[in-house]
Amino acid sequence: MDSLNPTPTAEVTHRTLKNEQGRVFREIDAARVVAVRNRGRIDGILMAPSMFDALRSRAAAAERLLAALPLLIAAARSEVAIPSETFQALGIGGRDDWRALNELLASVPVTITHGEDGHPLPKASDVVLQHIPVEEDDEELVVDADAATTVA
Amino acid sequence: MSSEPAGDSPYLHHADYWVAAAEAGEYPVRQGDLFANVQTANGAHLDAALIVHPTCELGKASVTNVQVARVQPLDALPDENQRQQVVAGISEKDGGVRIAFAHTFFVAPVEGSALHIPMWADFRELVLAPRKRFTPDARIGALTHDARVTFIRRYLYFRLRWLLSFEQVRDMEAARIGANPAFAGPRPDWVV
């Protein structure tokens, strides 16, 4: 079985779920994805934590890829080299042309998902900013040069 | 007419970076403007530098030195992939789009000047240089208001790791400029 195939390979009934929890968890352990059937229809899915984590991880990866996809497609179409590890891994190249790259990025909407260190970025675009005009004081500091020398 | 990057793209089209030479005289020297052959306060020489110092400080008599960022030609980076990351300001990895080399700001060529080459400013290499040398006549490129928004946005991320949108930074700039009666030179068309 594909380790990330979420198709249930076992079923339990509501009654079993309620009365035989030990058996249900053994089923989850063995089958990884178990359907809960009630009166002829499936109304719940139970899965092993490892399966849930793997699916969640794959969904996040798909969402990330969705953000990068417009850029990747545009780069592939225009045959412009872009800094992409996916393209590198797939052996997809392109011409090294700063002008074409700049023009590509100026025209294809990209969504930045991660910071320089690779951590997901918080959604700062939701933050409401407000400029509050203030009067600035133009007074300058008067520094005692002798005292400054002493500190140094 | 104003311009803006597509989506979260860090930079504008290269043609939208600089005020046209014929109009540049109307613009006072500001943060983000480009100069060549800069002598630093300690006597070092930079082939090119971008003003990082806040614009409102540049006219103050007590400011004798201004902070500038060293600018280098793109060709100074021998690695093709690194050059692309500097031009793009981003890179793709595992399907995610991440900030690339946050300490860099891509500097487009200034047509008809000695700096008609693609470059990058290095926010890690900030130095002081005598203010008196930074005059409109000595300036190679006057950054457009829109490109300055991208500059501020990039600088904010480098300094504070805040990735604000282009629109957020532009709105803040619009409010700031709109409230400043001493603002000199043509105003951006996004200031009400």
Side-chain angles (χ1 to χ4, degrees), chain A residues 61 63-69 71-72 81-88 94-99 101-119 121-122 124-133 136-138 140, chain B residues 4-15 17 56 60 62-63 74 80-81 83-85 87-103 106 108-109 116 118 124 153 157 161 163-165 168-169 171-172 175-176 179:
Chain A
E63 198 170 323
R64 280 202 307 274
L65 190 59
L66 211 56
L69 218 47
L71 176 64
L72 297 178
I82 61 167
S84 161
E85 290 202 354
T86 300
F87 274 14
Q88 272 188 339
R95 64 183 195 283
D96 179 28
D97 180 342
W98 74 265
R99 195 182 301 268
L101 176 57
N102 167 264
E103 290 169 1
L104 181 79
L105 280 158
S107 61
V108 178
V110 297
T111 303
I112 298 176
T113 54
H114 291 70
E116 185 184 35
D117 52 12
H119 294 141
L121 283 169
S125 56
D126 295 341
V127 176
V128 177
L129 300 174
Q130 187 182 8
H131 181 265
I132 302 170
E136 283 189 32
D137 190 343
D138 279 339
E140 295 289 346
Chain B
E4 57 186 68
D8 282 342
S9 238
Y11 302 123
L12 295 180
H13 188 287
H14 57 86
Y17 264 67
C56 57
K60 291 183 177 175
S62 56
V63 175
L74 198 60
E80 184 180 301
N81 186 260
R83 281 199 305 273
Q84 290 164 10
Q85 290 188 58
V87 172
I90 55 171
S91 66
E92 181 276 334
K93 185 177 182 184
D94 294 333
V97 178
R98 61 172 64 186
I99 304 278
F101 298 120
H103 62 95
F106 174 63
H116 189 208
R124 287 179 184 161
R153 185 173 175 233
Y157 181 79
R161 289 320 197 241
L163 185 68
L164 301 180
S165 69
Q168 284 174 311
V169 178
D171 288 351
M172 290 297 283
R176 184 189 66 79

Side-chain angles (χ1 to χ4, degrees), chain B:
Chain B
M1 199 179 82
S2 62
S3 52
E4 57 186 68
D8 282 342
S9 238
Y11 302 123
L12 295 180
H13 188 287
H14 57 86
D16 295 324
Y17 264 67
W18 308 110
V19 175
E23 298 163 20
E26 300 171 40
Y27 291 76
V29 172
R30 285 207 170 91
Q31 184 182 64
D33 287 357
L34 180 67
F35 290 79
N37 294 316
V38 172
Q39 292 296 126
T40 69
N42 64 8
H45 172 267
L46 300 179
D47 290 335
L50 209 64
I51 293 182
V52 173
H53 211 99
T55 301
C56 57
E57 284 257 316
L58 296 177
K60 291 183 177 175
S62 56
V63 175
T64 53
N65 291 316
V66 301
Q67 295 164 12
V68 299
R70 184 184 180 195
V71 171
Q72 299 185 68
L74 198 60
D75 285 350
L77 302 169
D79 184 272
E80 184 180 301
N81 186 260
Q82 289 197 346
R83 281 199 305 273
Q84 290 164 10
Q85 290 188 58
V86 167
V87 172
I90 55 171
S91 66
E92 181 276 334
K93 185 177 182 184
D94 294 333
V97 178
R98 61 172 64 186
I99 304 278
F101 298 120
H103 62 95
T104 64
F105 176 76
F106 174 63
V107 179
V110 184
E111 278 191 42
S113 80
L115 298 178
H116 189 208
I117 50 169
M119 300 161 280
W120 53 283
D122 191 339
F123 292 148
R124 287 179 184 161
E125 288 202 61
L126 301 187
V127 294
L128 292 173
R131 180 178 68 111
K132 61 186 178 189
R133 307 287 291 270
F134 296 93
T135 63
D137 288 343
R139 179 173 57 190
I140 297 288
L143 201 67
T144 61
H145 291 307
D146 298 314
R148 187 169 297 100
V149 172
T150 67
F151 173 82
I152 295 168
R153 185 173 175 233
R154 189 78 175 171
Y155 194 69
L156 271 178
Y157 181 79
F158 171 67
R159 282 280 162 207
L160 307 172
R161 289 320 197 241
W162 294 353
L163 185 68
L164 301 180
S165 69
F166 178 87
E167 290 76 14
Q168 284 174 311
V169 178
R170 185 178 57 191
D171 288 351
M172 290 297 283
E173 271 292 272
R176 184 189 66 79
I177 293 169
N180 180 7
F183 187 85
R187 293 184 168 223
D189 58 14
W190 29 263
V191 174
V192 181

